[in-house]
Amino acid sequence: SSATDTIRATLFPGDGIGPEIAESVKQVFRTAEVPIEWEEHYVGDQVDPRTQSFLTWESLESVRRNRVGLKGPMATPIGKGHRSLNLTLRKELNLYANVRPCYSLPGYKTRYDDVNLITIRENTEGEYSGLEHQVVRGVVESLKIITRQASLRVAEYAFHYAKTHGRERVSAIHKANIMQKTDGLFLKCCREVAEKYPEITYEEVVIDNCCMMLVKNPALFDVLVMPNLYGDIISDLCAGLIGGLGLTPSCNIGEGGIALAEAVHGSAPDIAGKVMKNMANPTALLLSSVSMLRHLNLHDKADRIQEAILSTIAEGKYRTADLGGTSTTTDFTKAICDHL
Amino acid sequence: SSATDTIRATLFPGDGIGPEIAESVKQVFRTAEVPIEWEEHYVGDQVDPRTQSFLTWESLESVRRNRVGLKGPMATPIGKGHRSLNLTLRKELNLYANVRPCYSLPGYKTRYDDVNLITIRENTEGEYSGLEHQVVRGVVESLKIITRQASLRVAEYAFHYAKTHGRERVSAIHKANIMQKTDGLFLKCCREVAEKYPEITYEEVVIDNCCMMLVKNPALFDVLVMPNLYGDIISDLCAGLIGGLGLTPSCNIGEGGIALAEAVHGSAPDIAGKVMKNMANPTALLLSSVSMLRHLNLHDKADRIQEAILSTIAEGKYRTADLGGTSTTTDFTKAICDHL
Ligand SMILES: CC(C)[C@H](C(=O)O)[C@@H](O)C(=O)O
Ligand SMILES: CC(C)[C@H](C(=O)O)[C@@H](O)C(=O)O
């Protein structure tokens, strides 16, 4: 493919095991001849005053320019005077929806073999407003903010996603029986959008009941859309159903068509680097890179890579330690490349 | 036993299937010769101005006087100008802790056979403050309130419960990485109480991670204590692990030693009364009545009744429709009585 076909994408390898699993993605993309050129950015070692965090201004500019990126785990350094890396990315890039496809992996046994759902989380407001204060000694309050704009935006994304991905149902998850105004507004916005998509079934499920139904029978759900905190909780619950965060891809969608795919697991400093290196499971980042390719409409490449990852896991010969195997990151990656 | 040994307890049969399952409890208690005399109170058919709800003032007075009660499902009538029945009870009786033992039922198969945990939910504040308002058009906020007093009170209850019930660990569930002040205060209170119980292991688990761990391996948990909304979510999730709300007991603890045991499932109007009567599963209310007996230190009676319920379910000959059987409520109840 000619140079003009090449797409530039930002890569944040992240910390801990991040660089090892990012290397795995780079190798798989090379093997599959994905026409992507990475612009790599590492987390800085001092606070950048323009971002008020350890993220460099250049790295944010890179995502803004490329409109597409991939991000490994980032542990926020401890200390005062700076913002969480993950929250800074969401805020600065206005990443309003976190999308997580969650399906049972063929051949990797958990208690569930019938999971096939998508969680779509509002990613900018709700309980994450950061507005908290002490009212009097011993009494503190925090504000949950729900806006019409952000609720419509994420609802629109969810219904559009359902329609374009052959999904049949959108469930809005809420606690409007208690938070009638905030979650009530969220539901009102979902209903408005639902009317524009008569071909998609719309339902509303209270979060406590939703969690009970998910653990009893996850096949009841298709696409779930919800405010920030419920999305945080339910997307991790769903990841647990299929084996954990090491296996689940995630993609953040921002205003203006930005997509930042992301492995949402931790940076596992204990198995990164010197003594225990080359042990990490790159699956979540690899599947996130597949989400990124789909966002770019590179579906052929996405299908091939996804198929190679799933087959390698299904065969079971090469699995990393977290899945009960003994393969190194590089062996597992090589097995995927051999499948391509 | 002589009349002076008799304990008076309030009984709210509730609506829908409530009276049918309450009848089951009364029959089991008679058969087991439990020295309890019920004071029955039904939900009124008009708003009582003294309670601002359909609950009668007399019924609340009855619980306050007896300090112990059992409650079936209550559906709040739709309409304005009155408060939710469940929330009114919590508020008026200051029911500060909701305690739910959750264990796999021998012989009743779900995807999990290793659940044995207790959820303890703060029941009076947090996201349930009822304080919400519109800031400007399209922007609403709700207040989450955490107080030192309520947090210490529920933490104290949880550690005391762990100690007196042979439990080894208390996990405080939170999202203090985001809500540093509110959930931070909750954790601070838990830590203070933990110091008084050096024999109990104390840990803190972020709610998203907790839900993932619960669905992967619930055996990791023992006693969980948490703010109101997390408790609402996690207690239902845990109920799902063992088969649903129809099987899980619950008990509310109030200031001054009040205990109101409660079946937390719905009133299932579709299978109550005329056409489809006598189909409801009374297990949750029966096991809740066992919790009530334990609270009264009637452990012999509690053990015998619990044993009879669990054996009947384990044998599998008499099961109600929700558990895949064909027994009526009265058949199932009779089978339990035969066990006694
Ligand atoms: C680390 C934490 C702040 C973050 C969140 O709560 O959003 C994480 O749980 C996630 O889901 O990305
Ligand atoms: C019905 C609802 C208001 C209630 C709650 O949220 O507390 C219920 O879910 C419960 O757990 O008792």
Side-chain angles (χ1 to χ4, degrees):
Chain A
S1 60
S2 76
T4 51
D5 288 329
T6 300
I7 298 162
R8 293 181 73 85
T10 307
L11 178 62
F12 291 99
D15 335 296
I17 56 172
E20 299 173 34
I21 59 180
E23 190 52 48
S24 171
V25 173
K26 288 192 272 181
Q27 192 173 330
V28 169
F29 273 35
R30 272 196 302 270
T31 310
E33 297 180 344
V34 179
I36 283 207
E37 196 178 310
W38 296 112
E39 262 180 44
E40 275 188 52
H41 285 276
Y42 284 84
V43 176
D45 53 13
Q46 55 192 24
V47 174
D48 185 323
R50 288 164 299 178
T51 68
Q52 291 167 58
S53 87
F54 287 86
L55 285 170
T56 64
W57 180 255
E58 290 71 27
S59 67
L60 296 184
E61 280 298 295
S62 167
V63 185
R64 288 198 189 99
R65 194 171 52 240
N66 297 327
R67 310 193 98 61
V68 64
L70 180 67
K71 170 186 168 295
M74 288 180 187
T76 296
I78 291 170
K80 297 220 168 212
H82 62 88
R83 298 191 291 170
S84 142
L85 300 174
N86 290 305
L87 298 188
T88 303
L89 278 171
R90 290 179 203 166
K91 202 128 221 166
E92 293 296 324
L93 301 174
N94 212 344
L95 301 173
Y96 66 84
N98 178 261
V99 184
R100 298 212 208 158
C102 187
Y103 46 86
S104 300
L105 296 184
Y108 181 66
K109 219 179 128 41
T110 71
R111 303 182 200 236
Y112 299 83
D113 56 13
D114 49 357
V115 183
N116 179 10
L117 53 82
I118 314 280
T119 61
I120 299 183
R121 163 185 181 184
E122 202 293 321
N123 220 11
T124 65
E125 58 178 27
E127 304 78 357
Y128 286 63
S129 72
L131 300 169
E132 292 189 292
H133 66 277
Q134 177 173 306
V135 184
V136 294
R137 251 177 92 96
V139 179
V140 287
E141 61 186 28
S142 61
L143 287 180
K144 166 173 168 172
I145 311 282
I146 298 284
T147 68
R148 180 168 160 78
Q149 191 221 347
S151 303
L152 283 175
R153 184 171 62 174
V154 75
E156 186 60 65
Y157 186 85
F159 278 92
H160 181 78
Y161 185 100
K163 184 174 176 169
T164 52
H165 290 71
R167 298 271 171 178
E168 285 169 10
R169 188 155 29 130
V170 171
S171 312
I173 313 305
H174 68 95
K175 190 77 195 179
N177 48 344
I178 294 300
M179 281 162 280
Q180 294 171 8
K181 292 197 180 160
T182 48
D183 286 5
L185 175 58
F186 183 80
L187 288 184
K188 191 165 172 291
C189 293
C190 289
R191 280 175 212 153
E192 269 181 53
V193 176
E195 291 204 348
K196 298 196 287 168
Y197 292 84
E199 68 279 31
I200 308 283
T201 306
Y202 171 67
E203 66 172 3
E204 296 170 356
V205 185
V206 180
I207 181 162
D208 45 341
N209 191 30
C210 176
C211 290
M212 185 168 71
M213 287 162 75
L214 276 170
V215 300
K216 284 182 80 171
N217 187 5
L220 292 171
F221 292 99
D222 194 347
V223 175
L224 296 89
V225 63
M226 52 227 144
N228 211 340
L229 182 67
Y230 309 153
D232 181 52
I233 294 170
I234 286 189
S235 57
D236 275 21
L237 187 166
C238 292
L241 302 176
I242 65 149
L245 290 181
L247 297 171
T248 49
S250 149
C251 191
N252 298 288
I253 305 297
E255 286 285 8
I258 283 181
L260 183 63
E262 172 190 25
V264 286
H265 55 66
S267 58
D270 49 323
I271 62 161
K274 304 224 176 54
V275 188
M276 316 232 309
K277 68 167 172 259
N278 207 7
M279 285 185 65
N281 183 355
T283 302
L285 194 64
L286 282 165
L287 290 175
S288 298
S289 75
V290 169
S291 290
M292 188 189 91
L293 294 178
R294 296 204 186 283
H295 185 83
L296 292 168
N297 278 317
L298 296 173
H299 290 290
D300 284 354
K301 299 290 184 195
D303 289 343
R304 270 186 69 211
I305 295 175
Q306 180 166 350
E307 165 67 24
I309 299 166
L310 297 186
S311 306
T312 305
I313 293 173
E315 282 166 15
K317 196 163 161 221
Y318 297 97
R319 281 186 185 168
T320 46
D322 59 316
L323 301 187
T326 57
S327 295
T328 60
T329 311
T330 42
D331 286 346
F332 177 71
T333 306
K334 188 170 175 309
I336 294 170
C337 291
D338 290 345
H339 262 285
L340 282 165
Chain B
S1 60
S2 76
T4 50
D5 288 330
T6 300
I7 299 162
R8 293 180 73 84
T10 307
L11 177 62
F12 292 99
D15 334 296
I17 57 172
E20 299 173 34
I21 60 179
E23 190 53 48
S24 172
V25 173
K26 287 192 272 181
Q27 192 173 330
V28 169
F29 273 35
R30 274 195 302 270
T31 309
E33 297 179 344
V34 179
I36 283 207
E37 195 178 310
W38 296 113
E39 260 179 46
E40 275 187 51
H41 286 275
Y42 283 83
V43 176
D45 53 13
Q46 55 191 24
V47 174
D48 186 322
R50 290 165 299 178
T51 68
Q52 291 167 58
S53 88
F54 286 86
L55 285 170
T56 64
W57 181 255
E58 290 71 26
S59 67
L60 296 184
E61 281 298 295
S62 167
V63 185
R64 287 199 189 97
R65 193 170 53 238
N66 297 328
R67 310 195 99 59
V68 64
L70 180 66
K71 169 186 168 295
M74 288 179 185
T76 297
I78 290 171
K80 297 219 168 215
H82 62 87
R83 297 189 292 169
S84 142
L85 300 174
N86 290 306
L87 298 188
T88 303
L89 279 171
R90 290 180 204 167
K91 202 127 222 167
E92 293 295 325
L93 301 174
N94 211 344
L95 301 173
Y96 66 85
N98 179 262
V99 184
R100 298 212 209 157
C102 186
Y103 45 85
S104 300
L105 296 184
Y108 181 66
K109 219 178 128 42
T110 70
R111 303 184 201 234
Y112 299 83
D113 56 13
D114 48 357
V115 183
N116 179 9
L117 53 82
I118 314 280
T119 62
I120 299 182
R121 163 185 181 184
E122 202 292 321
N123 219 11
T124 65
E125 57 177 29
E127 304 78 357
Y128 286 64
S129 71
L131 301 167
E132 291 188 293
H133 68 278
Q134 177 174 305
V135 184
V136 295
R137 250 177 93 95
V139 180
V140 287
E141 60 185 30
S142 60
L143 287 179
K144 165 172 168 174
I145 310 282
I146 298 285
T147 69
R148 181 169 159 79
Q149 190 220 347
S151 303
L152 283 175
R153 183 171 64 173
V154 74
E156 186 61 65
Y157 186 83
F159 278 93
H160 181 77
Y161 185 101
K163 184 175 176 167
T164 52
H165 289 71
R167 298 271 171 177
E168 284 167 12
R169 187 152 32 127
V170 171
S171 312
I173 313 304
H174 68 96
K175 190 77 194 178
N177 48 344
I178 294 299
M179 282 163 278
Q180 295 172 8
K181 292 196 180 161
T182 48
D183 286 5
L185 175 58
F186 183 80
L187 288 184
K188 192 166 171 291
C189 294
C190 289
R191 280 176 213 153
E192 269 181 52
V193 177
E195 291 205 347
K196 298 196 288 170
Y197 292 84
E199 68 279 33
I200 308 282
T201 306
Y202 171 66
E203 65 172 5
E204 296 169 356
V205 185
V206 180
I207 181 162
D208 45 342
N209 190 31
C210 177
C211 290
M212 186 168 70
M213 287 162 73
L214 276 169
V215 300
K216 284 182 78 171
N217 187 5
L220 292 170
F221 292 100
D222 194 346
V223 175
L224 295 89
V225 63
M226 52 228 145
N228 211 339
L229 181 67
Y230 309 154
D232 180 52
I233 294 170
I234 286 189
S235 58
D236 276 20
L237 187 167
C238 292
L241 301 177
I242 66 149
L245 290 180
L247 298 171
T248 48
S250 150
C251 190
N252 298 289
I253 306 297
E255 286 285 8
I258 283 180
L260 182 64
E262 171 190 25
V264 285
H265 55 66
S267 59
D270 50 323
I271 61 162
K274 305 225 174 54
V275 187
M276 316 232 309
K277 68 167 172 255
N278 208 8
M279 285 185 65
N281 182 354
T283 302
L285 194 65
L286 283 165
L287 290 176
S288 297
S289 75
V290 170
S291 290
M292 188 189 92
L293 295 178
R294 297 205 185 282
H295 185 84
L296 292 167
N297 278 318
L298 296 173
H299 290 291
D300 283 355
K301 299 289 185 196
D303 289 342
R304 267 186 71 210
I305 295 175
Q306 179 165 349
E307 165 68 23
I309 300 165
L310 297 187
S311 305
T312 305
I313 293 173
E315 282 167 15
K317 197 164 160 219
Y318 296 97
R319 280 188 186 167
T320 46
D322 59 315
L323 301 187
T326 58
S327 295
T328 60
T329 311
T330 42
D331 286 346
F332 176 71
T333 306
K334 188 170 175 306
I336 294 169
C337 292
D338 290 345
H339 262 285
L340 282 166

